[in-house]
Amino acid sequence: PTIETEGVVNAASFERGRPVAPGSYIAIFGRGLSDATRVFSTPYLPLSLAGVSVSFDVPERGISLPGRLHFVSDSQVNLQVPWELQGINSALIKVSIGDISSAVYRLPLSDYAPAFFEYRDASGRSFIAAQDVNWRLIGSGNPARRGQIVRLYANGLGPVNHQPPSGEASPTQPLATTRATPQLTIGGRPAEIRFSGLTPYVVGLYQIDAVVPADTPAGVQQVAVTIGGLTSKPALLPVE
């Protein structure tokens, strides 16, 4: 297995050369990373998938931890960074298939690395991964409505209260809320946040519930979140 130069990125923004956050998802790009293509099928993320594993080591602190795998293929591996690496600036990672391992890759870490997950619609345009109050996907055919709540799905929003173990689903009672309060803008207008934390019953997925400002212009608007002093790359949200 071979990891590309700057080939480990935030799995939401895919920005190269940027730190990633413990507890969040990363994507590893390279070649020969897996002999098969697999997606996890359990309520938790496994330590190994199709014989592939990923390790995180911090030798100066005597730390060695496994990553929790979500997806593996020849050219890409998606996984959760262990929560236990909070407060650490970097870790050495490697991808292993059985007893064969890649070269070691130094991964920069930051407690915060905010980014929104996105999807492409039938036209090929990218929009923020968001749902309305009825859990319907927001897009061109179902835009967000001013004055109503939208659920935005994010990565890298940092430490949470009631933190679940690495690879395990997020709790519902009590909810795992972000320790820092984010700031969110929709179309350049500040939005009221009703919830910021981990999505219940899901592993490592952050969710922001926010009210679309009443004065947001109609049309496709940019959304950005700031937390821990860092601002996400803007994502697009259709509004009416």
Side-chain angles (χ1 to χ4, degrees):
T2 302
I3 302 173
E4 291 178 6
T5 302
E6 293 191 343
V8 185
V9 297
N10 186 311
S13 66
F14 296 102
E15 294 175 289
R16 291 183 179 260
R18 302 287 297 273
V20 298
S24 66
Y25 284 95
I26 60 173
I28 300 175
F29 291 101
R31 63 182 186 276
L33 299 178
S34 174
D35 295 329
T37 299
R38 296 283 188 275
V39 179
F40 87 108
S41 58
T42 56
Y44 59 89
L45 296 184
L47 299 174
S48 177
L49 192 59
V52 177
S53 61
V54 179
S55 63
F56 293 77
D57 295 296
V58 188
E60 61 271 24
R61 297 203 185 186
I63 294 173
S64 183
L65 297 165
R68 297 295 187 130
L69 298 172
H70 176 269
F71 169 81
V72 298
S73 70
D74 175 76
S75 59
Q76 181 176 345
V77 172
N78 290 1
L79 67 151
Q80 184 190 32
V81 180
W83 286 106
E84 294 89 343
L85 294 175
Q86 288 175 10
I88 294 174
N89 293 328
S90 68
L92 302 177
I93 70 169
K94 63 179 182 293
V95 177
S96 300
I97 305 174
D99 295 331
I100 304 172
S101 299
S102 69
V104 171
Y105 181 105
R106 182 170 290 277
L107 179 66
L109 298 171
S110 171
D111 280 355
Y112 298 92
F116 286 112
F117 287 101
E118 299 175 83
Y119 75 97
R120 291 186 185 274
D121 68 5
S123 71
R125 193 169 189 183
S126 292
F127 292 113
I128 189 170
Q131 293 176 320
D132 61 20
V133 292
N134 295 314
W135 305 101
R136 295 181 302 171
L137 183 68
I138 291 175
S140 299
N142 181 42
R145 288 165 174 78
R146 287 168 283 193
Q148 295 192 6
I149 292 176
V150 290
R151 297 185 173 96
L152 310 173
Y153 294 100
N155 200 34
L157 299 186
V160 296
N161 301 306
H162 315 295
Q163 174 188 298
S166 294
E168 299 294 330
S170 304
T172 57
Q173 294 293 334
L175 293 169
T177 55
T178 57
R179 293 181 188 171
T181 301
Q183 296 175 314
L184 182 79
T185 58
I186 301 176
R189 280 111 174 126
E192 177 191 352
I193 293 177
R194 298 287 182 85
F195 171 76
S196 172
L198 295 175
T199 302
Y201 303 112
V202 182
V203 180
L205 178 65
Y206 290 89
Q207 175 181 327
I208 297 174
D209 295 354
V211 179
V212 180
D215 61 346
T216 304
V220 177
Q221 302 297 329
Q222 289 192 343
V223 181
V225 62
T226 300
I227 191 167
L230 298 173
T231 300
S232 68
K233 181 180 72 173
L236 299 179
L237 178 76
V239 176
E240 73 168 18

